[in-house]
Amino acid sequence: MGNNILKGKKGIIFGALDENSIAWKTALKAKEEGAEFVLTNAPIALRMGVINKLAEECGAEVIPADATSIEDLTNLFEKSMEVLGGKLDFVLHSIGMSPNVRKGKPYGDLNYDWFLKTLDISGLSFHKVLQTAEKTEAMNEWGSILALSYIAAQRTFPDYSDMAQAKAVLESIARSYGYRFAKNGNVRVNTISQSPTMTTAGSGVTGFDVFYDYADKMSPLGNASGDDCANYILMMFSDYTRMVTMQNLMHDGGFSNSGITEDIVAALSK
């Protein structure tokens, strides 16, 4: 049973692909907490996933939208307000994809057309979402808009490749648009930098299993799970965090502030 911390709130959740998705987990928990929302993903992703199962479970409508298309996003925001009967209180941007990573291109031999697609899909699309939300006047005062990031925006993780640049762009957009949206409507904009998580996208990175175990040993609390991330997202959507904006919020079990841990020392001493 939830605590109704999102009772009466309406929103859009991008990126639910399957049961491993953080967006999927967020949708289930948001429903439990009293929210109403629209689910969306790119048309190709909708064909690959099982989002209709989630929609049925949450009583939510699915509106396809390519997050890189202003036309699709405008339609999404306008239709969402029609479906939900009013303006929005929250938006989750849970989107990320690199053609270079998917096709195994090394960082020293990137396809630059694909690199631009990575930046557009995984970074610039957040600006497009924010700009469209503003232009359609879709957000209620004190609304909350979030995007999921990763610490590779600040530190080097070789196999993360051009996604690191995309996440750096994403976080910069949150700061710049966070200022604008705060001044024009008291809407807050943040990113959450999540632990390595066993999602469909995350597990596609080369060597992910090894790195997942390393991060777990480097985090005093262990890796933050997808379920824990969903709980954090709901808190950021709630009225309990009305004064938090323009932040990149670390949700990583302490990984980002750990130099070394006893578990790592023990592993290296074997």
Side-chain angles (χ1 to χ4, degrees):
M1 291 293 292
N3 298 298
N4 283 324
I5 62 170
L6 298 184
K7 185 176 181 180
K9 293 193 180 295
K10 308 173 191 296
I12 298 174
I13 295 176
F14 285 79
L17 184 64
D18 57 34
E19 292 177 348
N20 295 317
S21 305
I22 291 172
W24 187 292
K25 298 174 187 295
T26 300
L28 291 176
K29 290 176 181 289
K31 179 65 176 177
E32 188 177 321
E33 293 295 346
E36 297 177 76
F37 48 85
V38 163
L39 296 167
T40 187
N41 212 326
I44 188 171
L46 295 183
R47 290 195 296 272
M48 292 168 56
V50 287
I51 197 170
N52 288 330
K53 174 185 172 185
L54 177 64
E56 184 176 345
E57 196 167 343
C58 294
E61 187 164 328
V62 179
I63 302 176
D66 177 350
T68 67
S69 165
I70 297 297
E71 182 180 357
D72 279 12
L73 289 173
T74 300
N75 177 68
L76 170 66
F77 276 93
E78 289 177 346
K79 281 198 172 178
S80 294
M81 288 188 282
E82 289 177 18
V83 168
L84 298 171
K87 293 188 177 186
L88 310 177
D89 302 291
F90 63 86
V91 176
L92 174 63
H93 177 285
S94 181
I95 301 167
M97 196 279 287
S98 164
N100 280 299
V101 171
R102 281 195 174 183
K103 297 178 189 251
K105 295 287 285 183
Y107 194 67
D109 187 32
L110 293 183
N111 178 308
Y112 289 118
D113 288 334
W114 293 352
F115 192 173
L116 292 173
K117 286 183 180 178
T118 300
L119 294 175
D120 194 16
I121 295 167
S122 308
L124 186 57
S125 66
F126 191 41
H127 191 284
K128 293 177 180 179
V129 166
L130 290 159
Q131 181 172 282
T132 304
E134 180 183 8
K135 287 190 174 183
T136 57
E137 299 182 350
M139 298 303 298
N140 277 321
E141 190 176 22
W142 300 112
S144 176
I145 303 177
L146 283 173
L148 294 181
S149 190
Y150 184 54
I151 197 172
Q154 292 89 31
R155 299 185 188 177
T156 297
F157 296 90
D159 292 324
Y160 206 64
S161 191
D162 57 354
M163 278 295 296
Q165 280 74 65
K167 292 301 187 184
V169 168
L170 183 88
E171 292 176 15
S172 179
I173 288 168
R175 289 187 291 272
S176 296
Y177 224 114
Y179 177 84
R180 179 180 178 85
F181 242 143
K183 301 298 286 185
N184 301 333
N186 290 330
V187 175
R188 55 205 196 269
V189 181
N190 296 283
T191 54
I192 292 176
S193 191
Q194 166 68 0
S195 293
T197 310
M198 292 291 187
T199 62
T200 301
S203 57
V205 176
T206 302
F208 181 81
D209 290 346
V210 173
F211 179 64
Y212 181 90
D213 292 340
Y214 166 77
D216 199 48
K217 288 181 171 62
M218 274 292 290
S219 307
L221 292 176
N223 288 331
S225 70
D227 284 314
D228 285 327
C229 187
N231 288 331
Y232 194 26
I233 289 166
L234 297 196
M235 183 191 72
M236 293 305 300
F237 286 163
S238 79
D239 291 334
Y240 292 116
T241 53
R242 281 167 55 129
M243 300 307 291
V244 181
T245 196
M246 300 166 62
Q247 303 299 310
N248 180 51
L249 303 161
M250 293 296 183
H251 187 253
D252 60 5
F255 178 92
S256 52
N257 278 323
S258 295
I260 196 167
T261 62
E262 293 168 345
D263 289 344
I264 291 293
V265 171
L268 294 175
S269 299
K270 290 180 181 177

